[in-house]
Amino acid sequence: MYVKNTKEILDKANKDYYGVGAFNINNLEFLQAIIEAAVEKMSPVIVETSEGAMSYAGNGDFRRGARVLAGMVMEFAEDAPVPVALHLDHGHDIEHAMAAIQAGYSSVMIDASAKPYEENVKITAEIVRFAHAANTSVEAELGKLVGIEDNVSVSERDATLVDPDEAKNFVERTGVDFLAPAIGTSHGAFKFKGEAKLDFDRLKKVKQITKMPLVLHGASSVLPRYVKEANDYGAKIEGAKGVPYDILKESVKYGINKINTDTDLRVAFLAELRKALHDDASQIDPRKLFKPGMNAIKEVVMERIDVLGSAGKC
Ligand code: G3H
Ligand code: 13P
Ligand code: ZN
């Protein structure tokens, strides 16, 4: 079933201390695989699209793209026996947020974390007003998404990662529904130079202060088996490293409820596509070439549902 407001999914996860996967899509193939995985595990799921995905799906017109993607998600969610929400990932301005809200998205993220604090508060509060009027929830981010190295000084850490006291002030002044605190993850396939490590003390403080559903961005695990397969079939992905499953589990234990994943799906799909192109060189039907990649996405999503503890939580 399509969930009108992502809060319905995340408030439950917050209360019962489990995580729900939020998976990025740009197209039909990723969506079908994600929903199949959620149904097989009887797990709630959040599908999310970036501004780039909206533009891509609308052939350059992000408003049209929002409608195309929302139509597709609602169609596949309708008869799925699990809750499916649609979320705008990293919205940067009111235009994209409004396009998503008008297309019927279940929640929007406003990411003004690169702006000065007062501006972040102002733009987030403004979007919360519009979104709440449409029964849509809002996620915002505090701190910068960068991997934290061991040799980084305390003051550098403070300047980069979420400030728990600021989180309290931010939530009170904006009315935001979910918060993404920067605790040391980053986007993409190269998250850590050394050992994977997150700032759990900061996470615990933010949870204690806000008590709200929290979001982990840059949460892909960058699975070695798919990185290897991609490289075996011609990719050049050297030194890739993600967030291991035990760290994801710990994050959930300390209060993370929405776990954003894009890179893992991209790597798995492309590894299998490279293999299919190699193994079946005479194949000219893209649908047949995409199928192994879709199966790999389904497998990755099912594995993450088990790690996050959302199986059976419908
Ligand atoms: O956080 C970013 C997501 O991975 C989406 O990336 O802007 O390339 O669609 P994108
Ligand atoms: P990954 O690059 O780790 O998949 O992160 C995705 C994300 O945070 C989307 O907002
Ligand atoms: Zn992100």
Side-chain angles (χ1 to χ4, degrees), residues 29-187:
E29 289 77 14
F30 279 47
L31 173 65
Q32 288 180 350
I34 293 163
I35 292 194
E36 271 189 28
V39 171
E40 201 150 319
K41 289 283 172 189
M42 285 310 283
S43 165
V45 71
I46 299 166
V47 174
E48 55 186 21
T49 77
S50 65
E51 291 180 352
M54 280 159 69
S55 237
Y56 175 79
N59 204 10
D61 177 345
F62 68 84
R63 292 185 180 86
R64 169 180 272 188
R67 293 192 297 272
V68 169
L69 292 163
M72 217 162 66
V73 173
M74 286 174 192
E75 180 63 37
F76 280 95
E78 198 177 73
D79 60 354
V82 298
V84 180
L86 174 60
H87 174 81
L88 168 64
D89 185 32
H90 294 285
H92 289 99
D93 54 40
I94 193 114
E95 286 78 18
H96 283 85
M98 286 308 289
I101 292 167
Q102 280 164 1
Y105 278 47
S106 325
S107 50
V108 293
M109 174 185 188
I110 174 67
D111 177 3
S113 54
K115 293 192 170 27
Y117 180 69
E118 285 302 321
E119 252 182 86
N120 190 354
V121 170
K122 189 163 169 274
I123 181 168
T124 303
E126 193 180 0
I127 285 175
V128 166
R129 253 199 327 277
F130 285 121
H132 283 185
N135 188 27
T136 308
S137 41
V138 180
E139 171 186 331
E141 180 169 300
L142 276 181
K144 295 181 186 61
L145 284 180
V146 288
I148 292 299
E149 308 299 335
D150 282 342
N151 56 1
V152 158
S153 68
V154 173
S155 61
E156 273 178 278
R157 254 176 194 257
D158 284 347
T160 309
L161 300 182
V162 63
D163 170 353
D165 294 325
E166 202 170 73
K168 179 176 162 58
N169 176 281
F170 186 82
V171 168
E172 283 170 1
R173 288 174 65 196
T174 59
V176 76
D177 303 285
F178 327 123
L179 189 68
I183 55 167
T185 55
S186 62
H187 290 132

Side-chain angles (χ1 to χ4, degrees), residues 24 26 49-53 89-90 187-188 217 260-263 266:
N24 286 69
N26 292 273
T49 77
S50 65
E51 291 180 352
D89 185 32
H90 294 285
H187 290 132
H217 281 255
N260 283 18
T261 304
D262 187 354
T263 300
R266 292 180 179 196

Side-chain angles (χ1 to χ4, degrees), residues 248-304:
L248 283 184
K249 280 190 175 157
E250 237 179 313
S251 309
V252 169
K253 190 166 100 192
Y254 299 136
I256 293 288
N257 304 107
K258 173 173 177 277
I259 292 85
N260 283 18
T261 304
D262 187 354
T263 300
D264 278 349
L265 309 190
R266 292 180 179 196
V267 172
F269 185 83
L270 287 167
E272 290 295 323
L273 180 58
R274 280 180 178 279
K275 182 173 185 304
L277 288 166
H278 174 272
D279 290 353
D280 197 0
S282 59
Q283 184 56 258
I284 58 158
D285 184 343
R287 294 167 302 187
K288 297 212 167 78
L289 292 165
F290 290 163
K291 205 66 199 170
M294 293 168 73
N295 291 338
I297 289 176
K298 184 175 171 188
E299 185 188 299
V300 170
V301 172
M302 284 170 56
E303 220 168 89
R304 290 178 84 73

